[in-house]
């Protein structure tokens, strides 16, 4: 089955700097890759997603890139702000359409 | 619309006790899911229901059972709770497993098994 690995597990950046979180997946048939943000004590919420027919997608300060050949995808956050502090999860949809999540990255943005 | 509603929010059980976690959604979604969240392990799928009348195992189904009572409701049952089942449980729904994959999560149930 699908296996998703996510790095780093924790990331601390200065406000205004960029943050990058990377994920790899194992199932070459996976074709949908969302990112979820979970603030402390809250439920996870979708922030951006990408499909396998697209190499990059942007939404304001966040972007996701996908390299199908290498089977990895990344989340990029530019001009980080304190409200970006949260746990971020990547996921991949496996061949039976289930979403398999990575282990999460705790991002801390220092003011 | 309330979205996805889970009950209870907190629960403490003794080893061997049973309980049912309730989940309901009011978005007319076809697919529903139960995940557990443990530190350092992300969200792991326990069971899911692609549509009313169907249920399937996820990544970690052992020790759990589910019921898709109707289109709105999807319950998770622990028949004989074990300390390893201490976790935060999230119910989620999506419009359709195959077509629209965006998950809407409930607020979670924090379960402790002593």
């Amino acid at each position: 089955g699908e296996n998703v690995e996510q790095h780093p597990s924790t990331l601390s950046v200065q406000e205004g700097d960029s943050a990058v979180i990377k994920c790899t997946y194992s199932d070459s048939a996976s074709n949908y890759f969302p990112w979820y943000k979970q603030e402390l004590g809250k439920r996870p919420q979708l922030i951006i997603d990408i499909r396998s027919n697209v190499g990059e997608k942007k939404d304001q300060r966040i972007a996701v890139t996908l390299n199908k050949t290498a089977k990895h995808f990344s989340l990029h956050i530019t001009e980080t702000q304190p409200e970006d502090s949260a746990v971020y999860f990547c996921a991949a949809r496996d061949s039976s359409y289930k979403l398999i999540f990575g282990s999460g990255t705790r991002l801390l943005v220092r003011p | 619309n309330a979205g996805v509603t889970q009950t209870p929010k907190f629960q403490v059980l003794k080893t061997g006790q049973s309980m049912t976690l309730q989940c309901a959604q009011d978005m007319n979604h076809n697919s529903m899911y139960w995940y557990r969240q443990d530190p350092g392990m992300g969200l792991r799928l326990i069971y899911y229901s692609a549509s009313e009348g169907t249920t399937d195992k996820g990544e970690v189904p052992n020790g759990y059972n589910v019921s898709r009572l109707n289109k709105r409701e999807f319950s998770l049952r622990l028949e004989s709770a074990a300390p390893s089942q201490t976790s935060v449980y999230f119910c989620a729904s999506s419009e359709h497993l195959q077509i629209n994959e965006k998950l809407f999560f409930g607020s979670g149930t924090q379960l402790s098994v002593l």
Side-chain angles (χ1 to χ4, degrees):
Chain A
E2 177 66 278
N3 182 49
V4 178
E5 295 192 357
Q6 183 172 347
H7 301 281
S9 56
T10 59
L11 180 60
S12 179
V13 299
Q14 195 72 38
E15 182 177 357
D17 287 350
S18 295
V20 180
I21 303 170
K22 299 181 179 182
C23 290
T24 60
Y25 60 98
S26 60
D27 186 354
S28 56
S30 292
N31 61 6
Y32 173 69
F33 308 92
W35 288 86
Y36 283 77
K37 175 183 179 182
Q38 185 180 28
E39 297 176 357
L40 188 62
K42 301 287 184 64
R43 69 195 75 189
Q45 292 190 305
L46 179 71
I47 56 171
I48 195 168
D49 56 13
I50 191 168
R51 298 187 187 277
S52 58
N53 58 348
V54 175
E56 183 176 6
K57 184 177 180 180
K58 290 183 179 179
D59 183 3
Q60 299 182 343
R61 295 185 298 105
I62 61 174
V64 57
T65 59
L66 171 65
N67 183 326
K68 286 194 301 180
T69 303
K71 291 191 282 188
H72 67 71
F73 56 113
S74 300
L75 178 71
H76 304 253
I77 306 174
T78 58
E79 301 172 19
T80 54
Q81 301 168 4
E83 52 264 38
D84 295 329
S85 295
V87 178
Y88 292 82
F89 294 99
C90 64
R93 186 175 68 172
D94 72 7
S95 53
S96 60
Y97 302 99
K98 302 188 302 293
L99 275 182
I100 305 301
F101 284 83
S103 54
T105 295
R106 184 173 299 277
L107 174 64
L108 174 65
V109 180
R110 306 186 306 274
Chain B
N1 287 353
V4 179
T5 304
Q6 280 181 245
T7 55
K9 293 190 182 300
F10 302 95
Q11 185 71 49
V12 179
L13 294 177
K14 295 181 179 179
T15 297
Q17 287 185 318
S18 62
M19 78 161 296
T20 300
L21 281 66
Q22 307 287 353
C23 176
Q25 51 90 12
D26 61 4
M27 296 175 283
N28 200 35
H29 283 173
N30 289 290
S31 304
M32 298 185 74
Y33 315 80
W34 277 103
Y35 283 89
R36 61 177 288 174
Q37 183 175 25
D38 302 292
M41 302 190 74
L43 293 154
R44 292 184 293 168
L45 183 63
I46 305 171
Y47 270 93
Y48 67 104
S49 171
S51 60
E52 186 178 357
T54 69
T55 61
D56 284 287
K57 295 178 180 179
E59 301 168 85
V60 288
N62 291 347
Y64 305 95
N65 284 301
V66 290
S67 295
R68 183 74 183 266
L69 304 170
N70 48 55
K71 191 173 185 179
R72 291 187 63 249
E73 299 173 287
F74 188 40
S75 63
L76 178 72
R77 182 160 178 84
L78 287 70
E79 290 290 352
S80 178
S84 60
Q85 294 178 305
T86 293
S87 188
V88 178
Y89 291 84
F90 285 99
C91 177
S93 70
S94 68
E95 187 173 341
H96 193 289
L97 178 68
Q98 298 181 16
I99 301 172
N100 190 339
E101 312 89 336
K102 179 180 178 180
L103 294 181
F104 293 82
F105 285 88
S107 57
T109 296
Q110 191 164 327
L111 175 66
S112 294
V113 183
L114 307 178

